[in-house]
C-alpha cells in the first residue's frame, strides 16, 4: 500500500488567541519535520463544520502528484541516487540531500515542468513531493546546487554516466545491432568574458550564431531509441572532428555491454564523413557504417535518370500502395563506388514529395531573381545613379543569390557599353536549372554492409529521425528543456547535460512501458496528463479529521496507473494491483 503522511489538527496561540492549522509530518533526513501546514481559521469555524454549518468537504491544498509519482516509478529499478552516491559519497559533515538526490530532484523537474534552479524550490512547493520522496525543498536552491555540483568532477561524471547506461542496458537490453549517432548544439547567454572550454561560438542549428553554444553527441539504439552514450564538446568543433575524438571511447562502451551483437552498424550523417574516421571503422573488426553523402560531391549519381530507379520495399511504401498512391513511393537506384579508399555499396533514393517541394521553392526563388533583374535592368536603362558600373551591379546580383541560397550561374548577366551608356541584359540558363532540378528529392547513402538488401540500407538511413526526435524533445520548453543553458561553468554545464539526458531516457522508458501495455502515447502527452492528477488535503464536513487522498483519475490517467501496476481505491488511496 502506498503510504500517505497522516494529517492532524494543530493549535497555535498568538497573543493568547488560538489559531487552528492542519499539519503533516514526515521524516526528512531521518528526522521528523513539518512538510505541510495549512491555516484553517479559528476553532469556532471548524466547529461550524461539525454542526452542519459548513458547505461539505473543504479542499485545503491541491498539489501536483501524478507526474512526480510516475518519475519515481521509472527510476525505482535504476536508483540513480545510489549510482551517484557510490561515486561521490556523502561527507561526514554534509547535511541535506546527497549529491545523487540533487541530480534526482533536478531530473524529475525536467521530466514534467522544467524550470531554472532559481525557481526549483517554488516549483516543488506546488507539488506533492513530500508524499513521493520527502525533502526540505528550501535546500533545493540554486546556491545549494552550485555547491553540490561543484563536487562533481569530469572524471566522476564519466563514471556515473557509464554506470547509469550499464544499468539501463541490464534492465532494457535494447537491440543494439544498429546504432544511431548524431550531434546538435544548445545556445547559452554566457558572456564573452566568461571563461569556458565548452561554450564557443559556431554555426548554431537554431540560427543563434551570435551566442556561445555547447555541442552534444548522442548515441541511441535503433528501435528502442534508448540512449547508450552521450558526450559534451566545444561548440566550435566540427562534427567530423568530434566523432573522431569519441569513437574509441564510445565503441569501447558499447562493445563492453553484455549481450551486444557481434556485428554493430552505426548510422551517421554526412557531417561525420572524413577519411580518417572511415579508416578507423575499416580497421575495427565489429563496427560497420551507414552514412549519407552530399549530392554536391557526386553530381553524376544525383543526376541519374529516374528510369533506373524502382520502389523500395519499406513499410511506408507498402502503406502508399495500400492507399492507392503508388506515385508517392520512395524509389531507389543501387550501385557501387569507391569512397574513402574502398569499394562501398551506394544507394541513391528519390522522394517524390521532397522533389515537388524543392521544385516549388526553386521556381519561387527564380521568379524573385527575375523580378530583381528586371528592376536592375530598368535602373540601368534609366541611367540611375549608382547603376552605371557593371562590376557593382554584378556584385549586387551575387549578394542576391547568396541571400536566396542559390548558385549564381542559373542566370547569365551581360553588359555592353554604347554611345548611350551602359546596357544590361540577362537570360536564364535552362540547362543548369534543369540539371539542378534533376537532383531534387535525391539522397545518396553509402555503406560497407554490401551484403545488406537495398531496403535494409534505406530503412536504416531513414531511421535517423529517431535520434533527431530525441534532440527535438531536448529542446522542448516544458520537458527536458536543455536550452537555454543557464549555468556558467563547464562543470555545472556537464552536470546539467547529464541530468537532461537522464530525463530524456526516463521519458522514453515511460513510452516503452506503456507500449508494452498496449498504450501508444508520447511522453509529452502522458506527462501533461499526469500533472493534472492531484493529491488533495481535505477537511471533511464533520470536521473530525483532516484527510489526504488522491483525485478520481480520468480514464487516461487510470490506464497509466494500471500500466505501472497501481490503481486508486474508493477512499482515494493509491494501491498496488494484485498479481
Amino acid at each position: 500500500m502506498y503510504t500517505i503522511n497522516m494529517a492532524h489538527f494543530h493549535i497555535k496561540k498568538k497573543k493568547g488567541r488560538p489559531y487552528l492549522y492542519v499539519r503533516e509530518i514526515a521524516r526528512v533526513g531521518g528526522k521528523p519535520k513539518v512538510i505541510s501546514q495549512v491555516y484553517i481559521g479559528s476553532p469556532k469555524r471548524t466547529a461550524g463544520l461539525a454542526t452542519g454549518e459548513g458547505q461539505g468537504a473543504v479542499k485545503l491544498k491541491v498539489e501536483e502528484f501524478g507526474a512526480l509519482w510516475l518519475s519515481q516509478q521509472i527510476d525505482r529499478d535504476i536508483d540513480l541516487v545510489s549510482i551517484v552516491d557510490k561515486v561521490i559519497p556523502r561527507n561526514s559533515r554534509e547535511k541535506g540531500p546527497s549529491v545523487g538526490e540533487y541530480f534526482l530532484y533536478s531530473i524529475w523537474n525536467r521530466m514534467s515542468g522544467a524550470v531554472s534552479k532559481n525557481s526549483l524550490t517554488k516549483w516543488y512547493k506546488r507539488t506533492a513531493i513530500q508524499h513521493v520522496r520527502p525533502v526540505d525543498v528550501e535546500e533545493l536552491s540554486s546556491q545549494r546546487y552550485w555547491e553540490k555540483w561543484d563536487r562533481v568532477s569530469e572524471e566522476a561524471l564519466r563514471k556515473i554516466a557509464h554506470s547509469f547506461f550499464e544499468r539501463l542496458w541490464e534492465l532494457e537490453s535494447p537491440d543494439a545491432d544498429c546504432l544511431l549517432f548524431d550531434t546538435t548544439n544548445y545556445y547559452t547567454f554566457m558572456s564573452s568574458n566568461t571563461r569556458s572550454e565548452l561554450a564557443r561560438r559556431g554555426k548554431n542549428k537554431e540560427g543563434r550564431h551570435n551566442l556561445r553554444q555547447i555541442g552534444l553527441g548522442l548515441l541511441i539504439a535503433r528501435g528502442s531509441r534508448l540512449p547508450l552514450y552521450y558526450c559534451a564538446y566545444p561548440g566550435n568543433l566540427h562534427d567530423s572532428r568530434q566523432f573522431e575524438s569519441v569513437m574509441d571511447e564510445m565503441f569501447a562502451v558499447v562493445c563492453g555491454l553484455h549481450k551486444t551483437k557481434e556485428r554493430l552498424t552505426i548510422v551517421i550523417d554526412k557531417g561525420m564523413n572524413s577519411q580518417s574516421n572511415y579508416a578507423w571503422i575499416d580497421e575495427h573488426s565489429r563496427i560497420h557504417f551507414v552514412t549519407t553523402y552530399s549530392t554536391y560531391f557526386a553530381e553524376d549519381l544525383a543526376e541519374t535518370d529516374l528510369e533506373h530507379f524502382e520502389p523500395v520495399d519499406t513499410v511506408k511504401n507498402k502503406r502508399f500502395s495500400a492507399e492507392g498512391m503508388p506515385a508517392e513511393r520512395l524509389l531507389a537506384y543501387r550501385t557501387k563506388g569507391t569512397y574513402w579508399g574502398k569499394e562501398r555499396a551506394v544507394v541513391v533514393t528519390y522522394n517524390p514529395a521532397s522533389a515537388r517541394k524543392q521544385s516549388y521553392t526553386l521556381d519561387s526563388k527564380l521568379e524573385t531573381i527575375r523580378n530583381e533583374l528586371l528592376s536592375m535592368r530598368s535602373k540601368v536603362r534609366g541611367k540611375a545613379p549608382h547603376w552605371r558600373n557593371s562590376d557593382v551591379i554584378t556584385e549586387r546580383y551575387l549578394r542576391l543569390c547568396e541571400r536566396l541560397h542559390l548558385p549564381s550561374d542559373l542566370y547569365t548577366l551581360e553588359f555592353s557599353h554604347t554611345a548611350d551608356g551602359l546596357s544590361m541584359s540577362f537570360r536564364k540558363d535552362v540547362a543548369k536549372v534543369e540539371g539542378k532540378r534533376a537532383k531534387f528529392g535525391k539522397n545518396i547513402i553509402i555503406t560497407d554492409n554490401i551484403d545488406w538488401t537495398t531496403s535494409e540500407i534505406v530503412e536504416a538511413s531513414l531511421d535517423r529521425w529517431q535520434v533527431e526526435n530525441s534532440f527535438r524533445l531536448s529542446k522542448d520548453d516544458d520537458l527536458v528543456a536543455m536550452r537555454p543553458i543557464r549555468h556558467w561553468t563547464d562543470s555545472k554545464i556537464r552536470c546539467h547535460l547529464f541530468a537532461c539526458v537522464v530525463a530524456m531516457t526516463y521519458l522514453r522508458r515511460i513510452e516503452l512501458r506503456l507500449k508494452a501495455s498496449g498504450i501508444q502515447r508520447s511522453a509529452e502527452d502522458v506527462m501533461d496528463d499526469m500533472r493534472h492528477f492531484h493529491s488533495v488535503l481535505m477537511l471533511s464536513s464533520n470536521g473530525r479529521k483532516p484527510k489526504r487522498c488522491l483525485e478520481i483519475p480520468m480514464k487516461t490517467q487510470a490506464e497509466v496507473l494500471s500500466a505501472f501496476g497501481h490503481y486508486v481505491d474508493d477512499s482515494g488511496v493509491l494501491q498496488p494491483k494484485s498479481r
Side-chain angles (χ1 to χ4, degrees):
M1 177 177 174
Y2 188 78
T3 303
I4 301 289
N5 294 302
M6 297 300 293
H8 63 276
F9 288 119
H10 177 75
I11 297 177
K12 285 185 179 182
K13 285 191 175 182
K14 296 181 180 179
K15 296 183 180 181
R17 299 181 64 182
Y19 294 90
L20 191 64
Y21 293 81
V22 170
R23 271 186 174 183
E24 293 179 285
I25 297 177
R27 286 192 172 273
V28 179
K31 297 180 180 179
K33 183 178 178 64
V34 176
I35 60 171
S36 175
Q37 181 172 273
V38 181
Y39 175 64
I40 302 300
S42 66
K44 182 179 179 181
R45 180 190 174 199
T46 307
L49 292 173
T51 58
E53 296 175 10
Q55 300 298 316
V58 178
K59 291 184 178 181
L60 303 176
K61 202 173 191 180
V62 179
E63 299 169 322
E64 293 181 15
F65 173 82
L68 278 179
W69 177 83
L70 193 56
S71 301
Q72 180 203 45
Q73 294 300 302
I74 210 66
D75 172 72
R76 192 181 292 276
D77 51 1
I78 288 183
D79 192 6
L80 180 70
V81 172
S82 66
I83 291 175
V84 176
D85 290 349
K86 185 176 181 180
V87 178
I88 308 174
R90 184 188 291 273
N91 290 334
S92 57
R93 297 182 179 180
E94 189 173 2
K95 297 181 179 180
S98 66
V99 176
E101 287 176 308
Y102 272 94
F103 272 106
L104 187 68
Y105 290 121
S106 173
I107 290 164
W108 285 0
N109 167 251
R110 299 262 143 205
M111 291 176 66
S112 56
V115 298
S116 68
K117 300 298 183 294
N118 276 330
S119 304
L120 200 60
T121 294
K122 184 178 179 181
W123 182 84
Y124 266 116
K125 285 181 177 179
R126 301 197 306 266
T127 72
I129 184 61
Q130 308 298 5
H131 304 277
V132 176
R133 188 184 179 101
V135 62
D136 183 355
V137 293
E138 297 296 339
E139 290 283 332
L140 303 179
S141 65
S142 59
Q143 180 61 37
R144 293 293 285 152
Y145 264 94
W146 180 275
E147 294 167 359
K148 293 284 184 172
W149 280 3
D150 199 44
R151 296 180 55 200
V152 186
S153 67
E154 185 175 359
E155 180 58 31
L157 190 60
R158 185 178 287 110
K159 291 179 181 178
I160 291 168
H162 179 73
S163 297
F164 171 77
F165 289 122
E166 195 170 46
R167 179 63 177 151
L168 176 69
W169 178 266
E170 292 173 359
L171 294 169
E172 299 287 352
S173 296
D175 189 4
D177 62 328
C178 190
L179 312 172
L180 311 169
F181 181 82
D182 204 355
T183 61
T184 191
N185 46 50
Y186 304 92
Y187 61 79
T188 174
F189 295 111
M190 187 183 295
S191 166
S192 299
N193 299 324
T194 304
R195 294 182 59 184
S196 173
E197 294 298 319
L198 287 176
R200 301 293 183 88
R201 284 185 176 82
K203 186 177 180 181
N204 185 262
K205 297 188 178 183
E206 294 172 82
R208 306 297 294 269
H209 307 308
N210 60 312
L211 299 176
R212 299 171 74 176
Q213 64 183 22
I214 291 98
L216 180 81
L218 186 66
L219 181 74
I220 70 171
R222 181 188 178 196
S224 70
R225 288 156 45 195
L226 287 169
L228 297 176
Y229 174 87
Y230 83 100
C231 58
Y233 62 93
N236 63 346
L237 192 62
H238 191 274
D239 289 351
S240 62
R241 290 178 56 197
Q242 170 59 18
F243 184 60
E244 181 179 14
S245 69
V246 300
M247 282 195 296
D248 280 324
E249 178 184 357
M250 180 169 66
F251 290 120
V253 168
V254 174
C255 292
L257 295 172
H258 298 297
K259 299 180 181 178
T260 54
K261 300 292 179 64
E262 184 62 29
R263 178 173 176 171
L264 301 174
T265 296
I266 184 163
V267 181
I268 52 180
D269 184 69
K270 55 180 174 287
M272 318 291 172
N273 295 345
S274 75
Q275 183 71 41
S276 58
N277 288 349
Y278 292 114
W280 187 96
I281 291 176
D282 288 337
E283 292 177 1
H284 200 288
S285 60
R286 296 178 61 185
I287 306 298
H288 298 265
F289 72 89
V290 174
T291 187
T292 54
Y293 195 75
S294 175
T295 56
Y296 180 82
F297 297 111
E299 292 189 353
D300 291 344
L301 274 176
E303 293 176 0
T304 302
D305 195 279
L306 290 180
E307 67 180 15
H308 299 291
F309 288 68
E310 58 184 21
V312 190
D313 185 23
T314 64
V315 174
K316 196 170 184 179
N317 273 0
K318 291 176 182 176
R319 188 168 68 247
F320 280 136
S321 296
E323 294 173 355
M325 297 188 294
E328 297 300 309
R329 292 178 298 180
L330 185 76
L331 307 179
Y333 162 69
R334 182 165 181 169
T335 183
K336 296 179 181 179
T338 301
Y339 295 88
W340 308 295
K342 283 193 174 183
E343 187 176 80
R344 321 285 187 179
V346 180
V347 177
V348 185
T349 62
Y350 172 75
N351 188 322
S354 296
R356 285 196 302 271
K357 182 178 179 180
Q358 291 171 337
S359 185
Y360 174 82
T361 301
L362 176 64
D363 289 340
S364 177
K365 290 181 177 181
L366 289 175
E367 184 63 19
T368 299
I369 290 180
R370 179 179 176 276
N371 290 333
E372 289 289 335
L373 289 175
L374 287 171
S375 176
M376 290 180 183
R377 188 177 66 180
S378 177
K379 291 175 181 178
V380 171
R381 287 177 176 177
K383 299 180 176 57
H386 312 298
W387 291 89
R388 301 170 184 173
N389 186 310
S390 60
D391 291 337
V392 173
I393 297 170
T394 301
E395 180 62 29
R396 287 171 180 161
Y397 167 71
L398 294 175
R399 286 201 300 269
L400 173 63
C401 293
E402 184 178 357
R403 189 173 74 247
L404 294 173
H405 304 288
L406 282 180
S408 59
D409 59 355
L410 300 183
Y411 274 91
T412 301
L413 276 60
E414 295 178 352
F415 298 94
S416 61
H417 292 272
T418 64
D420 293 333
L422 183 66
S423 175
M424 172 187 169
S425 63
F426 63 89
R427 63 181 176 83
K428 182 194 294 185
D429 192 324
V430 177
K432 289 187 177 178
V433 169
E434 292 309 310
K436 184 174 181 62
R437 203 184 301 274
K439 301 175 188 176
F440 288 167
K442 304 281 184 64
N443 188 41
I444 300 175
I445 307 170
I446 300 176
T447 179
D448 61 345
N449 286 325
I450 57 177
D451 57 329
W452 278 19
T453 65
T454 301
S455 60
E456 287 175 331
I457 295 171
V458 172
E459 289 275 29
S461 182
L462 290 176
D463 279 346
R464 282 186 296 112
W465 71 268
Q466 296 180 9
V467 66
E468 291 165 358
N469 190 67
S470 296
F471 289 142
R472 180 193 60 78
L473 178 60
S474 75
K475 296 178 181 181
D476 186 285
D477 291 335
D478 295 318
L479 300 187
V480 185
M482 202 174 290
R483 61 94 178 93
I485 295 175
R486 297 183 175 93
H487 298 278
W488 313 115
T489 63
D490 287 352
S491 62
K492 313 305 181 302
I493 289 172
R494 289 190 177 95
C495 289
H496 169 71
L497 294 180
F498 173 69
C500 290
V501 170
V502 174
M504 281 194 297
T505 305
Y506 281 174
L507 289 170
R508 180 56 186 158
R509 289 192 76 207
I510 290 173
E511 291 179 340
L512 292 174
R513 183 75 66 86
L514 294 177
K515 183 179 179 181
S517 298
I519 303 171
Q520 290 280 2
R521 295 179 66 186
S522 68
E524 297 97 316
D525 180 40
V526 171
M527 298 308 284
D528 180 66
D529 191 19
M530 294 301 287
R531 281 185 66 182
H532 295 87
F533 178 46
H534 298 104
S535 173
V536 184
L537 180 61
M538 303 180 68
L539 191 61
S540 61
S541 58
N542 59 27
R544 293 177 182 174
K545 193 175 184 181
K547 175 186 177 182
R548 179 174 285 276
C549 61
L550 299 176
E551 293 177 324
I552 299 174
M554 297 183 295
K555 179 182 178 182
T556 53
Q557 294 167 342
E559 288 175 346
V560 173
L561 294 175
S562 178
F564 282 81
H566 288 76
Y567 71 98
V568 177
D569 65 17
D570 294 338
S571 61
V573 177
L574 192 64
Q575 302 277 10
K577 293 195 302 184
S578 57
R579 296 182 181 276

